[in-house]
Amino acid sequence: MKTFIKIVLLSFLFIIGFSGLSQAQSGKGAYGNTISRRSGSQQTDYITRGLRFNADVCAGGNLDGGDVNVTAGAGYQFSPYVYLGGVIGSGYTDDGPKVIVAADGRVYFSKKRVTPMLSAQLGYMFHADNEYVKYGYNKWKNERVNEHLVYASGGIGARIYLTKKLGFTARFMVSTTEDYMPFFGACAGIDF
């Protein structure tokens, strides 16, 4: 029984030690940034929680040909380090047009003006593919085939904050579906 009480008390002290209350008492804000007692000398925190919007343009290719995507998204910045949302976009490959609808997640590694980031998307892609189909002895015709595919993408890059609400992103990414070779490209975007 005494051991149980000791464990409970130590757990309680551990929770208090890492809570926002102890950070506030030590001069730190909710995100861990130092708050000065003097007016006008507060340190700037470039990531604020709340609703965010983004737009990206990605271009690249694989062994089959080139590809261009334009996506727009919205989501919520839960902490200075985690963003979750969704994107919708369209693009064009050498084979035909496509539409992407996906969940979007981003992880930031610092709260400074320039911060490294990882991104991931998982969702659905509709692709209208132009294929040559054999319809007789040695006869071929160009036919449009609609494909419904699972889409996945991952990227590494950085975000540069201009203000607390406005920033630019740049990242290298790889995306794939169950039917295609991986697509490698570069993305540039704006977050607000």
Side-chain angles (χ1 to χ4, degrees), residues 50-76:
L51 189 61
R52 295 230 181 241
F53 300 95
N54 57 61
D56 290 316
V57 175
C58 301
N62 57 20
L63 296 178
D64 287 340
D67 197 342
V68 176
N69 295 334
V70 177
T71 60
Y76 194 81

Tab-separated table of all heavy atoms in Angstrom, residues 50-76:
chain	number	residue	atom	x	y	z
A	50	GLY	N	-4.647	27.262	-34.837
A	50	GLY	CA	-5.868	27.731	-35.471
A	50	GLY	C	-6.032	27.190	-36.877
A	50	GLY	O	-5.255	26.370	-37.360
A	51	LEU	N	-7.071	27.691	-37.532
A	51	LEU	CA	-7.399	27.282	-38.886
A	51	LEU	C	-6.370	27.823	-39.875
A	51	LEU	O	-5.991	28.983	-39.793
A	51	LEU	CB	-8.795	27.793	-39.243
A	51	LEU	CG	-9.416	27.292	-40.531
A	51	LEU	CD1	-9.581	25.787	-40.520
A	51	LEU	CD2	-10.766	27.964	-40.749
A	52	ARG	N	-5.916	26.971	-40.794
A	52	ARG	CA	-4.926	27.362	-41.801
A	52	ARG	C	-5.389	26.933	-43.181
A	52	ARG	O	-6.087	25.939	-43.340
A	52	ARG	CB	-3.585	26.701	-41.525
A	52	ARG	CG	-2.946	27.133	-40.259
A	52	ARG	CD	-1.543	27.528	-40.558
A	52	ARG	NE	-0.892	27.924	-39.337
A	52	ARG	CZ	-0.417	29.132	-39.158
A	52	ARG	NH1	-0.520	30.020	-40.091
A	52	ARG	NH2	0.187	29.451	-38.043
A	53	PHE	N	-4.940	27.685	-44.185
A	53	PHE	CA	-5.209	27.367	-45.582
A	53	PHE	C	-3.880	27.304	-46.316
A	53	PHE	O	-2.921	27.979	-45.924
A	53	PHE	CB	-6.101	28.442	-46.214
A	53	PHE	CG	-7.421	28.576	-45.528
A	53	PHE	CD1	-7.615	29.532	-44.546
A	53	PHE	CD2	-8.464	27.728	-45.857
A	53	PHE	CE1	-8.828	29.652	-43.897
A	53	PHE	CE2	-9.683	27.840	-45.222
A	53	PHE	CZ	-9.864	28.801	-44.241
A	54	ASN	N	-3.820	26.483	-47.384
A	54	ASN	CA	-2.585	26.388	-48.155
A	54	ASN	C	-2.898	26.103	-49.610
A	54	ASN	O	-3.965	25.609	-49.945
A	54	ASN	CB	-1.648	25.314	-47.571
A	54	ASN	CG	-2.292	23.959	-47.509
A	54	ASN	OD1	-2.669	23.409	-48.533
A	54	ASN	ND2	-2.435	23.407	-46.313
A	55	ALA	N	-1.956	26.454	-50.457
A	55	ALA	CA	-2.036	26.169	-51.898
A	55	ALA	C	-0.642	25.780	-52.364
A	55	ALA	O	0.344	26.421	-51.985
A	55	ALA	CB	-2.530	27.393	-52.656
A	56	ASP	N	-0.547	24.715	-53.146
A	56	ASP	CA	0.735	24.199	-53.612
A	56	ASP	C	0.699	23.931	-55.114
A	56	ASP	O	-0.332	23.548	-55.658
A	56	ASP	CB	1.087	22.875	-52.925
A	56	ASP	CG	1.433	23.038	-51.465
A	56	ASP	OD1	2.179	23.962	-51.140
A	56	ASP	OD2	0.941	22.228	-50.652
A	57	VAL	N	1.849	24.097	-55.747
A	57	VAL	CA	2.060	23.700	-57.137
A	57	VAL	C	3.229	22.733	-57.133
A	57	VAL	O	4.301	23.047	-56.608
A	57	VAL	CB	2.366	24.914	-58.043
A	57	VAL	CG1	2.687	24.462	-59.450
A	57	VAL	CG2	1.210	25.893	-58.039
A	58	CYS	N	3.024	21.538	-57.693
A	58	CYS	CA	4.064	20.510	-57.730
A	58	CYS	C	4.320	20.104	-59.178
A	58	CYS	O	3.381	19.956	-59.957
A	58	CYS	CB	3.632	19.280	-56.937
A	58	CYS	SG	3.272	19.608	-55.212
A	59	ALA	N	5.569	19.922	-59.502
A	59	ALA	CA	5.940	19.484	-60.852
A	59	ALA	C	7.067	18.467	-60.748
A	59	ALA	O	7.919	18.554	-59.871
A	59	ALA	CB	6.376	20.670	-61.700
A	60	GLY	N	7.047	17.492	-61.647
A	60	GLY	CA	8.085	16.479	-61.647
A	60	GLY	C	7.775	15.407	-62.663
A	60	GLY	O	7.107	15.653	-63.654
A	61	GLY	N	8.224	14.202	-62.382
A	61	GLY	CA	7.969	13.125	-63.318
A	61	GLY	C	8.524	11.802	-62.848
A	61	GLY	O	9.090	11.678	-61.773
A	62	ASN	N	8.340	10.793	-63.689
A	62	ASN	CA	8.923	9.476	-63.490
A	62	ASN	C	9.352	8.954	-64.855
A	62	ASN	O	9.411	9.719	-65.815
A	62	ASN	CB	7.943	8.534	-62.785
A	62	ASN	CG	6.633	8.384	-63.533
A	62	ASN	OD1	6.543	8.652	-64.732
A	62	ASN	ND2	5.601	7.962	-62.832
A	63	LEU	N	9.612	7.674	-64.968
A	63	LEU	CA	10.077	7.131	-66.246
A	63	LEU	C	9.007	7.177	-67.325
A	63	LEU	O	9.317	7.163	-68.510
A	63	LEU	CB	10.560	5.689	-66.052
A	63	LEU	CG	11.787	5.531	-65.143
A	63	LEU	CD1	12.135	4.060	-64.988
A	63	LEU	CD2	12.971	6.303	-65.691
A	64	ASP	N	7.727	7.256	-66.940
A	64	ASP	CA	6.638	7.309	-67.918
A	64	ASP	C	6.415	8.696	-68.491
A	64	ASP	O	5.842	8.834	-69.566
A	64	ASP	CB	5.333	6.835	-67.276
A	64	ASP	CG	5.317	5.332	-67.054
A	64	ASP	OD1	6.109	4.641	-67.713
A	64	ASP	OD2	4.519	4.867	-66.228
A	65	GLY	N	6.794	9.741	-67.790
A	65	GLY	CA	6.563	11.095	-68.289
A	65	GLY	C	6.444	12.109	-67.183
A	65	GLY	O	6.723	11.833	-66.026
A	66	GLY	N	6.007	13.312	-67.554
A	66	GLY	CA	5.909	14.417	-66.617
A	66	GLY	C	4.543	14.525	-65.975
A	66	GLY	O	3.583	13.886	-66.376
A	67	ASP	N	4.472	15.388	-64.972
A	67	ASP	CA	3.249	15.538	-64.197
A	67	ASP	C	3.252	16.918	-63.544
A	67	ASP	O	4.297	17.413	-63.128
A	67	ASP	CB	3.217	14.465	-63.117
A	67	ASP	CG	1.839	14.250	-62.530
A	67	ASP	OD1	0.983	15.136	-62.689
A	67	ASP	OD2	1.630	13.207	-61.909
A	68	VAL	N	2.081	17.536	-63.454
A	68	VAL	CA	1.909	18.814	-62.760
A	68	VAL	C	0.654	18.716	-61.910
A	68	VAL	O	-0.377	18.239	-62.379
A	68	VAL	CB	1.771	19.989	-63.753
A	68	VAL	CG1	1.501	21.282	-63.013
A	68	VAL	CG2	3.020	20.121	-64.600
A	69	ASN	N	0.730	19.144	-60.638
A	69	ASN	CA	-0.413	19.156	-59.723
A	69	ASN	C	-0.600	20.551	-59.164
A	69	ASN	O	0.378	21.237	-58.863
A	69	ASN	CB	-0.186	18.249	-58.509
A	69	ASN	CG	-0.084	16.811	-58.853
A	69	ASN	OD1	-0.608	16.370	-59.850
A	69	ASN	ND2	0.603	16.060	-58.011
A	70	VAL	N	-1.839	20.947	-58.942
A	70	VAL	CA	-2.172	22.165	-58.207
A	70	VAL	C	-3.172	21.742	-57.141
A	70	VAL	O	-4.210	21.153	-57.462
A	70	VAL	CB	-2.787	23.239	-59.124
A	70	VAL	CG1	-3.190	24.454	-58.317
A	70	VAL	CG2	-1.809	23.626	-60.216
A	71	THR	N	-2.855	21.995	-55.863
A	71	THR	CA	-3.748	21.602	-54.781
A	71	THR	C	-4.053	22.795	-53.888
A	71	THR	O	-3.243	23.716	-53.762
A	71	THR	CB	-3.134	20.485	-53.912
A	71	THR	OG1	-1.915	20.939	-53.340
A	71	THR	CG2	-2.890	19.225	-54.714
A	72	ALA	N	-5.213	22.761	-53.259
A	72	ALA	CA	-5.622	23.744	-52.252
A	72	ALA	C	-6.123	22.962	-51.056
A	72	ALA	O	-6.777	21.936	-51.200
A	72	ALA	CB	-6.716	24.650	-52.800
A	73	GLY	N	-5.792	23.447	-49.865
A	73	GLY	CA	-6.166	22.711	-48.675
A	73	GLY	C	-6.521	23.602	-47.514
A	73	GLY	O	-6.257	24.806	-47.516
A	74	ALA	N	-7.125	22.980	-46.516
A	74	ALA	CA	-7.468	23.651	-45.271
A	74	ALA	C	-7.315	22.649	-44.147
A	74	ALA	O	-7.472	21.445	-44.350
A	74	ALA	CB	-8.886	24.190	-45.317
A	75	GLY	N	-6.996	23.145	-42.963
A	75	GLY	CA	-6.841	22.270	-41.818
A	75	GLY	C	-6.639	23.061	-40.554
A	75	GLY	O	-6.836	24.271	-40.513
A	76	TYR	N	-6.212	22.370	-39.515
A	76	TYR	CA	-6.049	22.985	-38.207
A	76	TYR	C	-4.631	22.763	-37.708
A	76	TYR	O	-4.117	21.648	-37.753
A	76	TYR	CB	-7.062	22.398	-37.217
A	76	TYR	CG	-7.177	23.211	-35.959
A	76	TYR	CD1	-7.962	24.356	-35.934
A	76	TYR	CD2	-6.484	22.853	-34.810
A	76	TYR	CE1	-8.067	25.119	-34.786
A	76	TYR	CE2	-6.578	23.602	-33.663
A	76	TYR	CZ	-7.379	24.738	-33.649
A	76	TYR	OH	-7.461	25.503	-32.515
